[in-house]
Amino acid sequence: MANPRSIVLLLRDEAWVFRRVVYKALFERRLKGDAVDEFTRVYYDGHLLGDTRADTHWLGVRTDKCPLDLWIYQELIARLRPDVIVETGTLDGGSALYLASICDLVGHGEVVTIDLEAPPAPPEHPRITYVRGSSVDEAVVAEVRARTAGKSALVVLDSDHRRDHVLAELHAYADVVPVGGYLIVEDTILNGHPINPEFGPGPMEAVEAFLAEDRRFEVDRRCEKLYMTFNRRGYLRRVR
């Protein structure tokens, strides 16, 4: 016959496990639902008041990024040590400067940043190369492929957010990413995911179309571990 004390302890442990499982499920549902969505909306739209992303700077240069995504970027750079970081969408150059600064810290890498227009006051850094032109222009793509030939690359797509343009970028730069590397699509929260439902097909829809066509990449949800991200389902890891 079982010891009564053992039965009590077993039941207590099982009750604790049950409570933990239930709490975890409720906690994740709440965070991944209304709480994160609402905070994302408030943060993203804070620029209308001149706050949040409108007033975020790296070493004095405006950086229109979610700081939690920048944290993930430095983790990827520290772990992967990419030879080249390709960025589409330079804007003020703050994110290029941030990426170059992380390369300084790890002692490796360079940044190639692409935009139709030059920043008004582009930050100077020996690791940054500015490329003028459309990110899907054949000459620009050829230049990037030449700069990344035989090297490992990390790619961050943050230019024109319309679906067809992002999809064209994904096809243009997928080959420069090595197995184990990342092709990151920014602002997948547009078109109601949960920001700007009126935007129309954008980055998220481009990711869905791309993954249906290219089985070499998978979404890495571990890169969303800090909950709020502008790049939901946008961290694409090459697995084959």
Side-chain angles (χ1 to χ4, degrees):
M1 182 176 179
N3 185 310
R5 177 174 171 77
S6 298
I7 294 176
V8 170
L9 292 175
L10 178 61
L11 291 174
R12 187 185 67 182
D13 291 344
E14 289 183 347
W16 180 83
V17 170
F18 177 76
R19 286 197 302 272
R20 183 181 181 188
V21 169
V22 171
Y23 174 76
K24 185 174 185 293
L26 292 174
F27 178 76
E28 289 186 343
R29 179 179 179 182
R30 179 186 175 196
L31 280 181
K32 294 181 179 179
D34 294 342
V36 167
D37 282 357
E38 187 59 27
F39 184 65
T40 301
R41 293 187 191 97
V42 170
Y43 185 93
Y44 191 88
D45 290 339
H47 76 285
L48 298 173
L49 301 175
D51 298 332
T52 60
R53 61 194 185 93
D55 192 25
T56 299
H57 299 77
W58 177 257
L59 299 180
V61 183
R62 181 169 175 254
T63 309
D64 191 0
K65 303 284 189 188
C66 171
L68 297 179
D69 286 318
L70 294 180
W71 185 271
I72 296 299
Y73 290 0
Q74 64 83 18
E75 288 191 351
L76 293 177
I77 294 169
R79 174 161 57 88
L80 299 174
R81 295 293 203 279
D83 299 319
V84 184
I85 301 171
V86 179
E87 175 192 55
T88 68
T90 306
L91 196 58
D92 296 307
S95 55
L97 181 60
Y98 171 82
L99 296 170
S101 299
I102 301 301
C103 289
D104 277 343
L105 291 174
V106 301
H108 185 75
E110 63 177 298
V111 178
V112 176
T113 182
I114 306 162
D115 207 311
L116 287 169
E117 299 179 359
E124 296 183 5
H125 193 287
R127 294 186 188 271
I128 299 177
T129 298
Y130 294 96
V131 176
R132 300 278 69 78
S134 169
S135 56
V136 295
D137 181 86
E138 290 184 4
V140 171
V141 174
E143 180 176 349
V144 171
R145 293 193 177 197
R147 289 180 177 275
T148 57
K151 301 177 180 179
S152 62
L154 173 70
V155 177
V156 181
L157 304 179
D158 187 26
S159 59
D160 184 336
H161 293 317
R162 290 172 297 177
R163 175 193 178 276
D164 290 348
H165 182 87
V166 178
L167 185 57
E169 286 184 319
L170 284 162
H171 288 307
Y173 297 108
D175 289 342
V176 308
V177 177
V179 173
Y182 286 77
L183 179 55
I184 302 170
V185 181
E186 294 212 350
D187 292 308
T188 51
I189 56 176
L190 292 170
N191 198 36
H193 305 291
I195 300 301
N196 293 358
E198 72 284 356
F199 185 83
M204 179 69 82
E205 290 71 28
V207 167
E208 292 170 350
F210 175 72
L211 292 177
E213 301 167 358
D214 195 325
R215 301 297 182 181
R216 295 176 298 171
F217 289 84
E218 293 180 354
V219 175
D220 188 353
R221 300 305 293 266
R222 295 173 301 174
C223 293
E224 301 175 40
K225 64 185 179 182
L226 301 180
Y227 295 114
M228 192 184 82
T229 172
F230 285 179
N231 312 333
R232 294 184 182 185
R233 295 184 56 79
Y235 288 94
L236 309 183
R237 181 172 181 267
R238 184 169 177 179
V239 295
R240 59 178 66 88

